[in-house]
Amino acid sequence: MLVSTTARPGDTAVAIIVTLHVKPGREAEFLDLLAPVLDAMRHEPSFINAVLHRSPDDPTLFMIYETWADRDELVQVQIPRAYRQAYVAALPDVLRQERGVSVWAPMRGDFAAGAAGA
């Protein structure tokens, strides 16, 4: 069984795509910095999901896809959280270029029944 969701008018959900080019040899350090952030995020009330990806062609290239229920709450409350500070402070030393961040408005989601929590 598949589950499909469609955004409704006035929906404040937001998807964030973050690309991170890690310095070669620093991948484990990067993942050690990121893990506590991902672990803490999932307990936030406006958090929907996050998926960490690694390029199959470049082991130093990572992408995080995050979905949050409210963009304003994400910017004003979640991003400044204390649990993100060590991670953000270490990024200039661990990354070979500035991280890329793009913001998207979800329109529709399609999931296998187990993946959607149904």
mmCIF file of all heavy atoms in Angstrom, residues 4 15 25 33 56 60 63 78 81 109:
data_model
loop_
_atom_site.group_PDB
_atom_site.id
_atom_site.type_symbol
_atom_site.label_atom_id
_atom_site.label_comp_id
_atom_site.label_asym_id
_atom_site.label_seq_id
_atom_site.Cartn_x
_atom_site.Cartn_y
_atom_site.Cartn_z
ATOM 1 N N SER A 4 -0.070 8.843 -0.042
ATOM 2 C CA SER A 4 0.239 10.095 -0.720
ATOM 3 C C SER A 4 -0.305 11.241 0.120
ATOM 4 O O SER A 4 -1.385 11.143 0.691
ATOM 5 C CB SER A 4 -0.405 10.117 -2.107
ATOM 6 O OG SER A 4 -0.124 11.334 -2.755
ATOM 7 N N ALA A 15 10.827 22.368 3.122
ATOM 8 C CA ALA A 15 11.881 21.374 2.934
ATOM 9 C C ALA A 15 13.189 22.133 2.742
ATOM 10 O O ALA A 15 13.235 23.129 2.017
ATOM 11 C CB ALA A 15 11.593 20.497 1.723
ATOM 12 N N GLY A 25 39.293 12.974 4.027
ATOM 13 C CA GLY A 25 39.846 12.467 5.270
ATOM 14 C C GLY A 25 39.139 12.952 6.516
ATOM 15 O O GLY A 25 39.446 12.502 7.620
ATOM 16 N N LEU A 33 30.169 14.993 14.215
ATOM 17 C CA LEU A 33 29.595 16.292 14.567
ATOM 18 C C LEU A 33 28.108 16.362 14.236
ATOM 19 O O LEU A 33 27.320 16.961 14.973
ATOM 20 C CB LEU A 33 30.318 17.405 13.806
ATOM 21 C CG LEU A 33 31.725 17.752 14.257
ATOM 22 C CD1 LEU A 33 32.436 18.574 13.201
ATOM 23 C CD2 LEU A 33 31.673 18.510 15.584
ATOM 24 N N PRO A 56 27.286 8.650 -4.278
ATOM 25 C CA PRO A 56 27.938 7.388 -4.641
ATOM 26 C C PRO A 56 29.204 7.617 -5.466
ATOM 27 O O PRO A 56 30.035 6.717 -5.587
ATOM 28 C CB PRO A 56 26.874 6.649 -5.449
ATOM 29 C CG PRO A 56 25.966 7.717 -5.959
ATOM 30 C CD PRO A 56 26.007 8.833 -4.948
ATOM 31 N N THR A 60 33.101 12.411 -0.238
ATOM 32 C CA THR A 60 33.206 13.611 0.591
ATOM 33 C C THR A 60 32.024 14.555 0.406
ATOM 34 O O THR A 60 31.979 15.617 1.023
ATOM 35 C CB THR A 60 34.515 14.383 0.284
ATOM 36 O OG1 THR A 60 34.446 14.912 -1.040
ATOM 37 C CG2 THR A 60 35.735 13.489 0.434
ATOM 38 N N MET A 63 24.492 15.243 1.449
ATOM 39 C CA MET A 63 23.296 16.055 1.284
ATOM 40 C C MET A 63 22.320 15.658 2.385
ATOM 41 O O MET A 63 22.155 14.474 2.676
ATOM 42 C CB MET A 63 22.651 15.807 -0.088
ATOM 43 C CG MET A 63 21.477 16.730 -0.395
ATOM 44 S SD MET A 63 19.873 16.053 0.030
ATOM 45 C CE MET A 63 19.607 14.913 -1.295
ATOM 46 N N GLN A 78 14.425 26.793 15.839
ATOM 47 C CA GLN A 78 15.226 25.578 15.677
ATOM 48 C C GLN A 78 16.678 25.844 15.302
ATOM 49 O O GLN A 78 17.593 25.268 15.875
ATOM 50 C CB GLN A 78 14.583 24.639 14.643
ATOM 51 C CG GLN A 78 13.189 24.184 15.014
ATOM 52 C CD GLN A 78 13.125 23.579 16.399
ATOM 53 O OE1 GLN A 78 14.043 22.910 16.849
ATOM 54 N NE2 GLN A 78 12.024 23.822 17.087
ATOM 55 N N ARG A 81 19.120 26.714 18.106
ATOM 56 C CA ARG A 81 19.202 25.781 19.242
ATOM 57 C C ARG A 81 20.658 25.520 19.654
ATOM 58 O O ARG A 81 21.548 25.407 18.807
ATOM 59 C CB ARG A 81 18.548 24.450 18.912
ATOM 60 C CG ARG A 81 17.061 24.517 18.748
ATOM 61 C CD ARG A 81 16.385 24.280 20.074
ATOM 62 N NE ARG A 81 14.981 24.027 19.853
ATOM 63 C CZ ARG A 81 14.036 24.477 20.656
ATOM 64 N NH1 ARG A 81 14.342 25.171 21.717
ATOM 65 N NH2 ARG A 81 12.776 24.217 20.413
ATOM 66 N N GLY A 109 3.750 14.411 -1.264
ATOM 67 C CA GLY A 109 4.674 13.368 -0.825
ATOM 68 C C GLY A 109 4.069 12.007 -1.097
ATOM 69 O O GLY A 109 2.880 11.789 -0.871
#
